[in-house]
Amino acid sequence: MSSPGKQVHPLDGIRILDLFAGPGGLDVAAHFLGFKSIGIEWDRNACETRYAAGLPTIHADVSVMRETRFDEIPKSVDVLAGGPPCQSFSVAGKGAGRRALDTVKEFIHRLVDGEDEAKIDEDLHALGDPRTALVLEPLRWLLKAIETEGRDPYKVIVLEQVPAALPLWEVYAKLLRGGEGRLRGVKYEAECWELKTEQFGVPQTRTRAVLVARRPGEGAVEPLEATHLPFDLHRGKRNAAQADMLPTGSAIPTKQRWLSMADALDAASRPKGSPVDVSRLRRGGGMNFFVVSNYGSGGDPKNRGRRRSSEPAFTVTGKISRNKVYASDTEYEAGRSDRFTIPESGVLQTFPHNFPWSGNDQAQQVGNAVPPRLGMHVLSRALRGDAPTNDELAAATTWHDVPRSTTAELRVIGCGDQSKCPPKSHKVTRSRRTSAP
């Protein structure tokens, strides 16, 4: 604990390095668990949100930081976390990464075996989608730490991606357990799983591939215990008894029902001054709205999926603002639709109701983020070996006030004179001059 009157520097005591940090899903999770983190993020808009939220940040390209600015990472960091961009692996994307899975697996082995990295980079570039190569960055950061004098291997590694990347995490886990080649005998206990967000209290259906690795002595990696029931995606079975949705062998329901959009948004609207206002979605004293997805289903772009307010949301993506929200069937028939606001979209991701979204492209920021509540479960298991407490989860619904001076200080740390920031990221497009009034 700091002595009275002693000024605490924003980078003091940082343990977690969050690669591809986005607006701060994992960092928010770490905060509510009592851990300090720093994120590397190349998108200027996401950085503005992070500065406003008081989250230490370096505005930079992850690869550039590793290659030329590695010494700027605090030596107190002993946890490596990250969710590489998923577009090339995502079902919603063009799938270049999925088609190249076997090739990427080979690259992982080539890196560990010590092949020339210039040749590896050349071959990665030939894959066509540069984002596919970013899934190798966590491994490269680990190797950099092992091979840099004065640095220790990370004690814990936490990675997440879309489900299509699970085979890559399995390769990661196998190599981390073996400790061969450039790993120089550094071994980890490592496991990976597919996790459904609604089973951890997130009011949306979203599946993520997660890897957790810990150095021997930090304890074996145990599977996460779901706190909520899975959501049945098949409409004809949604009225089935909860017991039918329990894992085989379960005698009695021991988990809570998944959290609905209505419950999450209603709770977020109650704190005084909350930017979440759902009065427009209430009819007859309750919320009975429904959402029509921006995406088609069953291969038919015209067959838009629907979710009722009493159900979890669709996966929150950067296009969530395109989903249409109808307060009633009457409004649907009349063509009067609404949209989720940014604070509401953030709540569906389990960000605090008053999280200070800033900059442009805020819907994209929300969609790119790791749901903080899922992050709390993963980080708590990885760092403490247990689940977050009920008090920690309850506290995670409200963000603390951040002084403007803190935001300004973090912007200086993150952007400095802007010379080290990603090229053109601070370029301002000036509007044409208009005639004087």
Side-chain angles (χ1 to χ4, degrees):
M1 182 176 295
S2 301
S3 58
K6 181 180 179 180
Q7 186 175 3
V8 178
H9 191 274
L11 303 190
D12 288 346
I14 283 179
R15 284 198 60 193
I16 301 172
L17 172 63
D18 186 5
L19 307 178
F20 314 103
L26 278 177
D27 304 79
V28 169
H31 168 80
F32 285 114
L33 293 174
F35 298 105
K36 292 189 67 174
S37 63
I38 187 169
I40 301 175
E41 175 52 46
W42 72 273
D43 179 67
R44 177 189 177 188
N45 293 307
C47 287
E48 285 302 318
T49 292
R50 295 177 60 87
Y51 298 148
L55 299 173
T57 306
I58 300 175
H59 182 199
D61 179 278
V62 165
S63 301
V64 172
M65 285 297 301
R66 171 180 52 80
E67 293 168 354
T68 64
R69 302 174 59 189
F70 189 76
D71 61 336
E72 295 180 32
I73 303 301
K75 290 188 177 181
S76 58
V77 166
D78 61 1
V79 179
L80 180 69
C86 67
Q87 289 90 338
S88 61
F89 293 95
S90 174
V91 172
K94 295 182 179 179
R98 296 198 306 279
R99 292 191 297 271
L101 275 175
D102 288 340
T103 303
V104 176
K105 290 178 185 178
E106 293 177 9
F107 282 116
I108 294 173
H109 284 283
R110 289 168 64 181
L111 276 171
V112 173
D113 290 344
E115 189 172 326
D116 180 63
E117 289 205 34
K119 173 59 176 172
I120 290 176
D121 287 335
E122 179 183 340
D123 291 346
L124 281 169
H125 182 73
L127 290 177
D129 190 334
R131 296 170 301 186
T132 303
L134 295 177
V135 78
L136 300 176
E137 279 298 326
L139 175 59
R140 291 178 130 170
W141 275 80
L142 170 60
L143 294 174
K144 184 79 171 184
I146 291 173
E147 296 170 351
T148 299
E149 186 176 354
R151 294 277 181 167
D152 294 322
Y154 303 107
K155 293 180 180 179
V156 179
I157 300 172
V158 176
L159 305 177
E160 67 85 32
Q161 247 275 8
V162 293
L166 186 63
L168 300 182
W169 290 165
E170 291 171 343
V171 174
Y172 261 67
K174 183 177 180 180
L175 291 172
L176 291 174
R177 295 184 197 113
E180 298 178 357
R182 290 176 65 190
L183 292 171
R184 297 182 179 179
V186 176
K187 298 182 179 181
Y188 290 82
E189 302 279 350
E191 299 292 342
C192 45
W193 319 275
E194 279 192 7
L195 301 177
K196 295 182 180 297
T197 56
E198 81 272 16
Q199 290 192 263
F200 295 90
V202 179
Q204 69 168 296
T205 53
R206 184 189 197 108
T207 304
R208 305 302 290 178
V210 173
L211 176 143
V212 173
R214 301 201 298 193
R215 293 278 286 139
E218 297 294 319
V221 178
E222 299 291 340
L224 278 70
E225 289 289 334
T227 56
H228 293 65
L229 294 168
F231 177 69
D232 193 334
L233 293 173
H234 301 288
R235 284 190 177 278
K237 297 180 181 179
R238 287 183 186 172
N239 294 324
Q242 285 193 344
D244 292 338
M245 295 192 289
L246 289 171
T248 304
S250 295
I252 57 174
T254 58
K255 299 179 177 65
Q256 305 173 59
R257 194 192 73 158
W258 32 261
L259 189 65
S260 71
M261 290 184 279
D263 288 341
L265 294 174
D266 181 61
S269 70
R270 292 176 185 173
K272 184 178 180 180
S274 173
V276 176
D277 181 1
V278 293
S279 58
R280 72 192 189 286
L281 301 177
R282 294 186 186 278
R283 291 293 185 275
M287 282 193 287
N288 296 303
F289 66 85
F290 61 91
V291 182
V292 178
S293 173
N294 175 61
Y295 294 103
S297 59
D300 182 358
K302 296 181 180 179
N303 183 22
R304 308 292 185 180
R306 288 193 187 192
R307 288 282 174 89
R308 296 188 291 269
S309 58
S310 58
E311 300 172 328
F314 295 106
T315 297
V316 174
T317 72
K319 295 181 174 61
I320 187 173
S321 58
R322 298 185 187 180
N323 290 351
K324 295 183 177 181
V325 183
Y326 297 92
S328 65
D329 289 328
T330 301
E331 294 201 359
Y332 175 75
E333 293 168 1
R336 293 194 298 267
S337 64
D338 208 318
R339 309 279 178 167
F340 286 127
T341 65
I342 294 301
E344 290 165 356
S345 302
V347 166
L348 296 179
Q349 279 276 57
T350 62
F351 277 87
H353 67 90
N354 59 338
F355 195 69
W357 300 102
S358 303
N360 297 322
D361 298 327
Q362 292 181 14
Q364 192 66 49
Q365 293 183 49
V366 174
N368 286 348
V370 178
R373 186 172 177 118
L374 178 67
M376 289 180 71
H377 280 275
V378 174
L379 287 178
S380 185
R381 176 65 70 183
L383 300 180
R384 307 188 307 199
D386 58 11
T389 67
N390 290 334
D391 286 345
E392 288 170 335
L393 293 172
T397 58
T398 301
W399 197 243
H400 59 285
D401 290 333
V402 177
R404 290 185 179 181
S405 59
T406 298
T407 293
E409 184 177 8
L410 290 175
R411 189 179 287 112
V412 170
I413 292 172
C415 291
D417 61 3
Q418 302 179 5
S419 64
K420 294 184 178 180
C421 296
K424 300 182 180 180
S425 60
H426 287 273
K427 182 179 180 180
V428 176
T429 302
R430 298 185 181 277
S431 59
R432 292 182 180 179
R433 292 188 62 182
T434 57
S435 301

